[in-house]
Amino acid sequence: MEVAFPVIDLSKINGEERGATMDMIKDACENWGFFELTNHGISHELMDTVEKLTKEHYKKCMEDRFKEMVTSKGLEVVQSEITDMDWESTFFLRHLPESNLYEIPDLEYDYRKVMKQFAVELEKLAEKLLDILCENLGLEQGYLKKVFYGSKGPTFGTKVSNYPPCPKPDLIKGLRAHTDAGGIILLFQDDKVSGLQLLKDDQWIDVPPLKHSIVINLGDQLEVITNGKYKSVMHRVLAQTDGTRMSIASFYNPGSDAVIYPAPALVDKEAEKPIAYPKFVFEDYMKVYPALKFEDKEPRFEAMKTMESIVSLGPIATV
């Protein structure tokens, strides 16, 4: 029997179905690493504007550049599988600790304004979800937000991607399989063109495109903090022969100097191996991640363990 991908109505968290909704989120975190939210509190009108302006910006500023790159690399005539690049056109926006929104060239004033507004809404939603996760994990309220904070607050940014039609989708991925390095990821994806898949029980499962939904997935840092109770999950984007898929993924991550380690409340002191994960500074993890992004996450954790044994991070204030 195929198990349905978890789609959760977040508005029910405020009524008599709160318990059932919290349980659905808990189950999704423990067994999927992904879930899709409807009625999440971000206005549909704002989302429609973000989508319209993102697609316009791609057509006007990015599409020709992408086509030139494809031609220059001869990608439309490849005969064998391409494993060292992705069929995607992207740019990055940084929101926290400092925004780079006004430094990105080619963005219209209205687009900057609406992306800033969207980021504020997503930040609120990310923090609400961290509180929900704390409650489900039995951690004190605000624990995850505090761990993420470091000395300058969290790192928050958005990757705006378009996945154009691809003539050889069997030979090149939109985005190769990986887990996300950071904390909690909030994705606003195209509701018509699919392609996102996650790996569950050795099978690739489609993340269904739903209008006005936000897809949530958990990054490597939450796996460490929960001592493996929640897992970051491999996912990928398949290239499609028809349609351009829009993907706006926002990453609510720890601050660069935040120290990441399993929450003491989640470490079973009685277990044979009570702590399965290392203690490290988030910035150090991000130094090893790019080179190992498309491989299993275990080598990244091992690299942190090696570093941990060389550099003792000393006591950490938990108050």
Side-chain angles (χ1 to χ4, degrees):
M1 185 189 100
E2 197 175 306
V3 187
F5 181 87
V7 177
I8 298 167
D9 179 345
L10 194 61
S11 65
K12 292 188 172 170
I13 208 121
N14 303 319
E16 60 245 28
E17 290 181 60
R18 178 180 170 80
T21 307
M22 292 294 283
D23 284 348
M24 283 171 78
I25 295 173
K26 182 171 187 280
D27 181 72
C29 289
E30 288 178 357
N31 297 308
W32 289 81
F34 267 81
F35 52 96
E36 195 155 4
L37 292 177
T38 59
N39 296 321
H40 39 64
I42 300 176
S43 108
H44 290 180
E45 191 184 357
L46 175 60
M47 294 177 83
D48 290 342
T49 309
V50 165
E51 179 170 358
K52 176 175 172 282
L53 296 181
T54 296
K55 288 180 172 175
E56 282 174 8
H57 175 263
Y58 172 72
K59 279 248 170 299
K60 188 175 161 198
C61 303
M62 313 271 296
E63 191 171 37
D64 288 345
R65 233 177 287 167
F66 184 79
K67 285 176 180 164
E68 282 163 22
M69 183 276 293
V70 166
T71 305
S72 71
K73 292 186 189 291
L75 292 177
E76 64 276 81
V77 292
V78 293
Q79 300 300 318
S80 55
E81 190 173 2
I82 303 276
T83 56
D84 61 351
M85 65 168 291
D86 303 301
W87 188 269
E88 64 171 0
S89 166
T90 64
F91 65 95
F92 291 87
L93 300 174
R94 229 180 24 251
H95 312 300
L96 296 173
E98 288 107 27
S99 170
N100 70 347
L101 200 54
Y102 291 92
E103 294 157 28
I104 306 273
D106 304 333
L107 297 187
E108 303 267 338
Y109 172 76
D110 284 354
Y111 189 31
R112 287 182 215 270
K113 199 169 95 177
V114 85
M115 289 309 272
K116 186 176 182 180
Q117 198 183 344
F118 191 43
V120 167
E121 295 298 322
L122 287 167
E123 186 189 343
K124 276 190 235 160
L125 179 58
E127 293 183 350
K128 180 177 182 170
L129 287 166
L130 287 182
D131 283 344
I132 289 170
L133 264 52
C134 276
E135 191 175 329
N136 270 339
L137 288 160
L139 295 170
E140 64 189 71
Q141 200 62 1
Y143 179 87
L144 290 171
K145 197 174 162 186
K146 195 161 61 182
V147 170
F148 275 37
Y149 207 81
S151 66
K152 298 186 286 286
T155 311
F156 185 45
T158 298
K159 177 187 176 190
V160 181
S161 309
N162 281 277
Y163 297 93
C166 176
K168 301 280 179 97
D170 50 331
L171 297 179
I172 186 164
K173 296 279 182 295
L175 181 59
R176 290 160 286 166
H178 63 288
T179 66
D180 290 325
I184 192 163
I185 298 87
L186 305 95
L187 169 69
F188 174 25
Q189 67 166 348
D190 206 290
D191 63 354
K192 294 183 183 67
V193 185
S194 64
L196 178 63
Q197 296 185 322
L198 65 96
L199 190 62
K200 179 169 167 57
D201 305 326
D202 297 324
Q203 299 223 307
W204 288 103
I205 293 175
D206 292 323
V207 175
L210 275 182
K211 195 159 180 66
H212 298 136
S213 74
I214 298 281
V215 176
I216 305 298
N217 72 287
L218 310 181
D220 296 346
Q221 307 311 305
L222 283 174
E223 178 168 336
V224 173
I225 295 166
T226 65
N227 203 31
K229 198 172 169 65
Y230 294 170
K231 297 272 198 294
S232 60
V233 168
M234 285 291 245
H235 51 286
R236 68 183 185 184
V237 177
L238 296 183
Q240 308 284 0
T241 48
D242 303 317
T244 295
R245 176 179 175 268
M246 177 198 79
S247 159
I248 302 174
S250 297
F251 299 82
Y252 187 97
N253 291 347
S256 57
D257 66 354
V259 179
I260 305 300
Y261 58 102
L266 300 178
V267 175
D268 179 359
K269 309 286 191 296
E270 310 303 310
E272 256 177 63
K273 201 173 118 192
I275 299 182
Y277 294 88
K279 180 188 201 178
F280 53 86
V281 176
F282 179 60
E283 188 173 38
D284 289 335
Y285 192 83
M286 292 311 288
K287 284 175 189 158
V288 304
Y289 179 76
L292 301 170
K293 176 175 178 176
F294 298 110
E295 296 173 27
D296 291 337
K297 60 193 158 188
E298 285 69 26
R300 310 198 283 259
F301 293 147
E302 285 308 314
M304 293 299 101
K305 280 182 186 167
T306 308
M307 206 179 279
E308 183 184 20
S309 60
I310 299 167
V311 183
S312 169
L313 291 164
I316 291 163
T318 51
V319 287

